[in-house]
Amino acid sequence: MAIRKLRYEGDPILNKVCKPVYDMTDRTLELIEDMAETMYETGGVGLAAPQVGILKRICVIDVTPDCSELLILINPEIIETSGSQTGSEGCLSVPNKSGTVTRPNVVKVKALNTNMEEVIIEGTELLARALCHEIDHLDGKLYIDLVEGDLETYTDED
Ligand code: NI
């Protein structure tokens, strides 16, 4: 496993549409392990493959405070949403910034696991937000385009 180099806002790779994964290979498994390690190391709750420079429809998410529930989503698709939530959002590719974004409060996602079996994941609140945010990355979209009002800047000391 290895920490991968993050791509930051302004890098054109973050605005590209990612390609579906058709079969699981050792190389893709290694990418997924590295993505999880990179997410945990940088303190994020989610990471999408384009953020480490790979244009594949893969993301990892863990919204638990003790990093105990790693979700791996391959070719994820939102199949149902309900309600709405308005709250603060940030992104590892846009360091030291946050902004207010409205998202669905409940999101149901169809995806493949690492065995390429279909799984359904339902998330509310923070998990619903993370699912929307990460799946947007796979379509080349960043949350900063959805921010209501101004992006806020903070420093690591805050
Ligand atoms: Ni992000």
Side-chain angles (χ1 to χ4, degrees), residues 1 7 9 21 33 39 57 66 86 95 104-105 111 115 123 125 136 141 145 155 157:
M1 296 219 289
R7 303 299 185 100
E9 185 204 355
V21 176
E33 284 181 8
M39 171 183 74
R57 301 191 76 83
D66 58 349
T86 299
N105 198 46
N115 295 321
E125 298 173 5
D136 274 355
K141 297 181 209 158
D145 295 320
T155 60
E157 289 81 52

CSV table of all heavy atoms in Angstrom, one decimal, residues 1 7 9 21 33 39 57 66 86 95 104-105 111 115 123 125 136 141 145 155 157:
chain,number,residue,atom,x,y,z
A,1,MET,N,0.8,-1.2,0.0
A,1,MET,CA,0.0,0.0,0.0
A,1,MET,C,0.9,1.2,0.0
A,1,MET,O,2.0,1.2,0.5
A,1,MET,CB,-0.9,0.0,1.2
A,1,MET,CG,-1.9,-1.1,1.3
A,1,MET,SD,-3.5,-0.6,1.9
A,1,MET,CE,-3.1,-0.4,3.6
A,7,ARG,N,-4.4,15.3,-6.4
A,7,ARG,CA,-4.6,16.3,-7.5
A,7,ARG,C,-5.4,17.4,-6.8
A,7,ARG,O,-6.4,17.1,-6.1
A,7,ARG,CB,-5.2,15.7,-8.7
A,7,ARG,CG,-4.5,14.6,-9.3
A,7,ARG,CD,-3.1,15.0,-9.8
A,7,ARG,NE,-2.5,13.9,-10.5
A,7,ARG,CZ,-2.4,13.8,-11.8
A,7,ARG,NH1,-2.9,14.7,-12.6
A,7,ARG,NH2,-1.8,12.8,-12.4
A,9,GLU,N,-7.6,21.3,-7.2
A,9,GLU,CA,-8.4,22.2,-8.0
A,9,GLU,C,-7.5,23.0,-9.0
A,9,GLU,O,-6.4,23.5,-8.6
A,9,GLU,CB,-9.1,23.2,-7.1
A,9,GLU,CG,-10.1,24.0,-7.9
A,9,GLU,CD,-10.4,25.4,-7.1
A,9,GLU,OE1,-9.9,25.6,-6.0
A,9,GLU,OE2,-11.1,26.2,-7.8
A,21,VAL,N,-15.4,0.6,-14.7
A,21,VAL,CA,-14.5,-0.5,-14.5
A,21,VAL,C,-15.2,-1.8,-14.9
A,21,VAL,O,-16.4,-2.0,-14.5
A,21,VAL,CB,-14.2,-0.6,-12.9
A,21,VAL,CG1,-13.3,-1.9,-12.7
A,21,VAL,CG2,-13.5,0.6,-12.5
A,33,GLU,N,-6.8,0.0,-2.5
A,33,GLU,CA,-6.1,0.0,-1.2
A,33,GLU,C,-5.3,1.3,-1.0
A,33,GLU,O,-5.3,1.9,0.1
A,33,GLU,CB,-5.1,-1.2,-1.1
A,33,GLU,CG,-5.7,-2.5,-0.9
A,33,GLU,CD,-4.7,-3.6,-0.9
A,33,GLU,OE1,-3.5,-3.4,-0.8
A,33,GLU,OE2,-5.2,-4.8,-0.8
A,39,MET,N,-6.9,8.4,1.8
A,39,MET,CA,-8.0,9.0,2.5
A,39,MET,C,-7.8,9.1,4.0
A,39,MET,O,-8.0,10.1,4.6
A,39,MET,CB,-9.3,8.3,2.2
A,39,MET,CG,-10.5,8.8,3.0
A,39,MET,SD,-12.0,7.9,2.6
A,39,MET,CE,-11.7,6.3,3.5
A,57,ARG,N,-14.1,4.9,-12.5
A,57,ARG,CA,-15.3,5.2,-11.6
A,57,ARG,C,-15.2,4.4,-10.3
A,57,ARG,O,-15.8,3.3,-10.2
A,57,ARG,CB,-16.6,4.9,-12.4
A,57,ARG,CG,-16.7,5.7,-13.6
A,57,ARG,CD,-18.1,5.6,-14.3
A,57,ARG,NE,-19.1,6.4,-13.6
A,57,ARG,CZ,-19.2,7.7,-13.7
A,57,ARG,NH1,-18.5,8.4,-14.6
A,57,ARG,NH2,-20.1,8.4,-13.0
A,66,ASP,N,-14.1,6.6,14.0
A,66,ASP,CA,-13.1,5.7,14.3
A,66,ASP,C,-12.6,4.9,13.0
A,66,ASP,O,-11.9,3.9,13.2
A,66,ASP,CB,-13.5,4.8,15.4
A,66,ASP,CG,-14.7,4.0,15.0
A,66,ASP,OD1,-15.4,4.3,14.0
A,66,ASP,OD2,-15.0,3.0,15.7
A,86,THR,N,-28.8,21.0,4.2
A,86,THR,CA,-27.9,22.1,3.8
A,86,THR,C,-26.8,22.2,4.9
A,86,THR,O,-27.1,22.3,6.1
A,86,THR,CB,-28.7,23.4,3.7
A,86,THR,OG1,-29.7,23.3,2.7
A,86,THR,CG2,-27.8,24.6,3.3
A,95,PRO,N,-7.9,22.3,-0.7
A,95,PRO,CA,-7.5,22.3,0.7
A,95,PRO,C,-7.9,23.7,1.4
A,95,PRO,O,-7.9,24.7,0.8
A,95,PRO,CB,-6.0,22.2,0.7
A,95,PRO,CG,-5.6,22.1,-0.8
A,95,PRO,CD,-6.8,22.2,-1.6
A,104,PRO,N,-29.3,15.9,-1.1
A,104,PRO,CA,-30.4,15.1,-0.6
A,104,PRO,C,-30.0,14.6,0.8
A,104,PRO,O,-28.9,14.4,1.1
A,104,PRO,CB,-30.5,13.9,-1.6
A,104,PRO,CG,-29.7,14.4,-2.8
A,104,PRO,CD,-28.7,15.4,-2.3
A,105,ASN,N,-31.0,14.3,1.7
A,105,ASN,CA,-30.7,13.9,3.0
A,105,ASN,C,-30.6,12.3,3.0
A,105,ASN,O,-30.0,11.8,3.9
A,105,ASN,CB,-31.8,14.3,4.0
A,105,ASN,CG,-31.3,14.2,5.4
A,105,ASN,OD1,-30.2,14.6,5.7
A,105,ASN,ND2,-32.2,13.6,6.3
A,111,ALA,N,-23.9,0.0,-6.7
A,111,ALA,CA,-22.5,0.0,-7.1
A,111,ALA,C,-22.0,-1.5,-7.1
A,111,ALA,O,-22.8,-2.4,-6.9
A,111,ALA,CB,-21.7,0.7,-6.0
A,115,ASN,N,-15.5,-7.7,-5.6
A,115,ASN,CA,-15.8,-9.0,-6.3
A,115,ASN,C,-16.6,-8.7,-7.6
A,115,ASN,O,-17.1,-9.7,-8.2
A,115,ASN,CB,-16.5,-10.0,-5.4
A,115,ASN,CG,-15.6,-10.4,-4.2
A,115,ASN,OD1,-14.4,-10.6,-4.4
A,115,ASN,ND2,-16.2,-10.5,-3.1
A,123,GLY,N,-27.5,5.8,2.4
A,123,GLY,CA,-26.9,6.7,3.4
A,123,GLY,C,-27.8,7.8,3.7
A,123,GLY,O,-28.6,8.3,2.9
A,125,GLU,N,-27.8,11.8,5.9
A,125,GLU,CA,-27.0,12.8,6.4
A,125,GLU,C,-25.6,12.8,5.9
A,125,GLU,O,-25.4,13.0,4.7
A,125,GLU,CB,-27.0,12.8,8.0
A,125,GLU,CG,-28.4,13.0,8.5
A,125,GLU,CD,-28.7,12.8,9.9
A,125,GLU,OE1,-27.7,12.6,10.7
A,125,GLU,OE2,-29.9,12.9,10.3
A,136,ASP,N,-20.1,12.8,-7.8
A,136,ASP,CA,-19.9,14.0,-8.6
A,136,ASP,C,-18.4,14.0,-9.1
A,136,ASP,O,-18.2,14.3,-10.3
A,136,ASP,CB,-20.1,15.2,-7.8
A,136,ASP,CG,-21.6,15.7,-7.8
A,136,ASP,OD1,-22.4,15.1,-8.5
A,136,ASP,OD2,-21.9,16.7,-7.1
A,141,LYS,N,-17.1,16.7,-11.5
A,141,LYS,CA,-17.7,17.9,-10.9
A,141,LYS,C,-17.2,18.1,-9.5
A,141,LYS,O,-17.0,17.1,-8.7
A,141,LYS,CB,-19.2,17.7,-10.8
A,141,LYS,CG,-19.9,17.6,-12.1
A,141,LYS,CD,-21.4,17.5,-11.9
A,141,LYS,CE,-22.1,16.7,-13.0
A,141,LYS,NZ,-23.4,16.1,-12.6
A,145,ASP,N,-18.6,24.3,-7.2
A,145,ASP,CA,-19.6,24.8,-8.2
A,145,ASP,C,-21.0,24.8,-7.7
A,145,ASP,O,-21.9,25.4,-8.3
A,145,ASP,CB,-19.5,24.1,-9.5
A,145,ASP,CG,-18.2,24.3,-10.2
A,145,ASP,OD1,-17.7,25.4,-10.2
A,145,ASP,OD2,-17.6,23.3,-10.7
A,155,THR,N,-7.5,28.0,8.3
A,155,THR,CA,-6.1,27.6,8.4
A,155,THR,C,-6.1,26.3,9.2
A,155,THR,O,-7.1,26.0,9.9
A,155,THR,CB,-5.2,28.6,9.0
A,155,THR,OG1,-5.7,28.8,10.3
A,155,THR,CG2,-5.2,29.9,8.2
A,157,GLU,N,-4.7,25.7,11.8
A,157,GLU,CA,-4.7,25.9,13.3
A,157,GLU,C,-6.2,26.1,13.8
A,157,GLU,O,-6.4,26.0,15.0
A,157,GLU,CB,-3.9,27.2,13.6
A,157,GLU,CG,-2.4,27.1,13.5
A,157,GLU,CD,-2.0,27.3,12.0
A,157,GLU,OE1,-2.4,28.3,11.4
A,157,GLU,OE2,-1.3,26.3,11.5
